[in-house]
Amino acid sequence: MTTRILDGRPYSPLDEVLYWCRELVEDPDFPTVRQWRENGGKVLGHFQVYFPEEIAHAAGMLPFKMRGAALEARQAEARFGSYLCSIIKTSLELALSGRVQLDMFVSHPICDVARNLAAVWGRNFPYPCQILYLPQNANSAHSAQYLCDEYARLKREVEGVAGRTIADDDLRSAIAVFNENRRLMRRLYAIKRDTPWLLPADEAYVLVSIGGMIPREEHNELLKAVIPQIEARTAKPQDRIRVVFEGGFCEQPPLDLLRTISQSMYVVDDDLLIGLRWILEDVPMAGDPLMNLAEAYLEKSSYSPVQHDLRKPKEKMLLERMRAARASAAIITAAKMCEPGLDEQVAYVKALDEHGTPYFVSEFEENMTSFDHLQIQLETFVENLLFA
C-alpha cells in the first residue's frame, strides 16, 4: 500500500476518534475516496450487499462500498422510476454529481432494481460497469466452482482497469489483511454483545462503516487502537432491554436513527453493512485463493434476504442471532420501497409471533431527519416490556 488516508488523524482520545469517523461517514463528498484518487490511486465502487474486496485490494485499487448518502437525487431521478428505494438513486447521484469519481463499478442482481443498475450506470460513464453474478442456487454442488470462475472473470476485468496482473500471492496478501479486519470487527461486535453499555449502536456503526472507504490496512490500525479504549470505558450497565436490529443489509439507516434507538435500549447485534462482515471465519491462505474466497462466501458466511440458501432460512437465522446475543426483543425494519426487506419482514414477524418474542416493526429511509415520533414509539414499546 503506497497511499495512506488517515495520516495526521489521532487514534486517541476515543471521543475525538468517534467524532472524525462520524464526520467522514456522513460526508456526502467522501473525502477519503477523493484523496485516494488525488494521490494517484484507482477506485472500484461496488454496490450492496457483498463483494470480494480482496480482488480489488490485490490490484492496488481502493474498494469503495457504495451505500448511498443523505442527499437529493436530482440528476438520478431522471434515470429511474419513481417508486424505488432511495439508495439506488443516491448512489448514482454521487457519481453523476461528481462527488465520487470511480474507475470501475460493480453491481449485483440482488433485486429487480439493482439488476439494472450496472446498465444504467454504464450508459452514463465511460469506465467499465460490471455485474457480479453470485450463485442463485447456493445449495448446488457446482456453486463453488461457478463462483470461482465468476471471480476469475471479475479479476480479469479488474486487471484491465488497474493496469497490472493480480498474482495468487497478491490475493493471499489481501486475504490476510481482510482476515485480520474481519477478526477485529468480530471483536467490536463481541463488545456490543457482551458489554453493550460500552459501545452504543451508532458508535459501532461508524467504526465499521469507515472501513468501506479507506485502505483496509488503515482500518485495521484504527480498530486495533480504539478497541482497547472502548474496553477501558467505565460506563455502568443500565436497566435496558437487549434487542437485535434487522433490516440494514442494503440501504443504511441514518446515524441519528441508530442513536435514537440506543437511547432506550441496547442493540446487541444487527445486520448493518453485513457485506463487510459477511465471512465469519478466516479464509484459508493455502491453495487457490479464488476458490477459497468462493467457498468462504458459501460455507462460512452470514445470511441476508438477498442470498437464497436453503441451509440458512432467514427466520431461523434471526432467532439464532437473537439467542446468541441474548436479546429479548427484535427491531424488524426495512428501507422504504425495498422489496426483499419488506417481504422478509412478513416472514420474520410470523416466526417471532410463533415463538412469543416481542418485536417492533418500522420502516426507514436514508435521508429521514425527524425521529421524535419514532422515539415515542420506542419508549412505549420498552415500557410495555419492562412493566407488563
Side-chain angles (χ1 to χ4, degrees):
M1 180 183 64
T2 59
T3 301
R4 293 184 61 85
I5 300 298
L6 300 181
D7 281 352
R9 295 183 182 272
Y11 286 171
S12 66
L14 180 60
D15 288 345
E16 187 170 340
V17 177
L18 291 169
Y19 172 79
W20 62 253
C21 282
R22 176 168 183 146
E23 290 292 300
L24 289 176
V25 167
E26 290 194 303
D27 191 334
D29 291 326
F30 293 97
T32 58
V33 180
R34 182 186 303 114
Q35 183 180 341
W36 177 271
R37 292 194 90 250
E38 288 175 350
N39 291 341
K42 294 185 177 181
V43 180
L44 186 153
H46 59 92
F47 192 66
Q48 304 277 33
V49 171
Y50 173 78
F51 176 79
E53 294 180 304
E54 291 89 340
I55 297 175
H57 185 280
M61 300 181 72
L62 176 68
F64 169 53
K65 191 166 192 60
M66 302 292 294
R67 78 288 298 277
L71 51 81
E72 187 176 352
R74 295 179 179 178
Q75 299 181 64
E77 286 281 1
R79 274 79 172 178
F80 292 110
S82 299
Y83 298 102
L84 302 177
C85 58
S86 177
I87 185 175
I88 287 283
K89 299 176 183 179
T90 58
S91 292
L92 181 60
E93 184 71 23
L94 288 173
L96 290 172
S97 64
R99 288 180 170 88
V100 170
Q101 295 185 9
L102 305 177
D103 298 280
M104 181 175 179
F105 176 72
V106 180
S107 184
H108 320 275
I110 59 173
C111 65
D112 288 341
V113 181
R115 183 178 294 111
N116 298 309
L117 182 58
V120 173
W121 209 288
R123 287 198 294 268
N124 289 275
F125 298 99
Y127 50 76
C129 299
Q130 289 286 323
I131 299 176
L132 174 62
Y133 293 97
L134 298 168
Q136 290 297 304
N137 181 7
N139 305 119
S140 168
H142 306 287
S143 59
Q145 185 59 57
Y146 161 80
L147 185 55
C148 180
D149 293 342
E150 183 68 358
Y151 284 173
R153 179 188 66 82
L154 179 68
K155 172 175 164 287
R156 292 191 294 271
E157 297 289 341
V158 172
E159 288 173 331
V161 174
R164 54 168 289 186
T165 299
I166 303 173
D168 282 355
D169 283 344
D170 295 327
L171 284 167
R172 293 187 184 101
S173 296
I175 288 172
V177 170
F178 280 77
N179 278 345
E180 181 181 22
N181 188 245
R182 287 183 285 262
R183 286 196 297 269
L184 288 165
M185 286 192 285
R186 288 197 291 271
R187 281 186 61 189
L188 200 67
Y189 266 70
I191 296 173
K192 279 185 60 173
R193 182 182 63 249
D194 299 333
T195 52
W197 50 91
L198 299 180
L199 187 61
D202 57 305
E203 294 182 358
Y205 180 85
V206 298
L207 290 173
V208 170
S209 180
I210 196 171
M213 61 181 73
I214 62 175
R216 209 52 59 92
E217 293 93 336
E218 290 192 76
H219 192 219
N220 290 346
E221 293 173 6
L222 172 64
L223 293 180
K224 284 189 284 189
V226 301
I227 286 175
Q229 297 178 67
I230 295 170
E231 293 172 333
R233 280 175 158 173
T234 57
K236 303 298 182 183
Q238 300 180 12
D239 186 19
R240 296 183 180 181
I241 65 170
R242 299 166 61 94
V243 301
V244 161
F245 181 99
E246 193 81 12
F249 61 93
C250 186
E251 184 170 326
Q252 298 300 290
L255 273 176
D256 285 338
L257 185 149
L258 298 178
R259 177 177 289 177
T260 298
I261 294 172
S262 296
Q263 289 174 351
S264 55
M265 57 191 73
Y266 291 133
V267 180
V268 290
D269 204 352
D270 58 63
D271 65 344
L272 297 164
L273 291 172
I274 193 64
L276 295 177
R277 304 178 287 115
W278 181 257
I279 296 175
L280 303 177
E281 303 174 20
D282 282 358
V283 178
M285 301 291 292
D288 182 348
L290 291 181
M291 178 58 78
N292 291 342
L293 285 169
E295 290 179 343
Y297 171 81
L298 294 164
E299 306 296 339
K300 303 176 180 179
S301 56
S302 186
Y303 68 97
S304 163
V306 298
Q307 188 200 44
H308 308 290
D309 190 333
L310 296 177
R311 299 168 300 177
K312 296 187 288 186
K314 312 304 183 299
E315 307 92 312
K316 178 181 177 181
M317 298 302 290
L318 171 60
L319 292 169
E320 174 57 26
R321 172 173 278 167
M322 294 185 67
R323 186 200 63 77
R326 304 186 301 281
S328 57
I331 296 179
I332 306 299
T333 187
K336 293 182 179 179
M337 306 293 178
C338 175
E339 289 188 16
L342 293 169
D343 284 348
E344 213 61 55
Q345 258 190 354
V346 177
Y348 287 149
V349 165
K350 182 175 184 293
L352 292 170
D353 278 336
E354 290 174 351
H355 284 78
T357 301
Y359 57 86
F360 179 89
V361 177
S362 69
E363 290 183 355
F364 68 86
E365 195 169 30
E366 59 187 354
N367 58 5
M368 63 189 294
T369 56
S370 177
F371 306 98
D372 292 342
H373 186 57
L374 174 65
Q375 185 172 12
I376 293 172
Q377 291 179 317
L378 288 169
E379 289 173 351
T380 302
F381 175 67
V382 171
E383 289 175 0
N384 285 338
L385 294 181
L386 291 177
F387 303 112

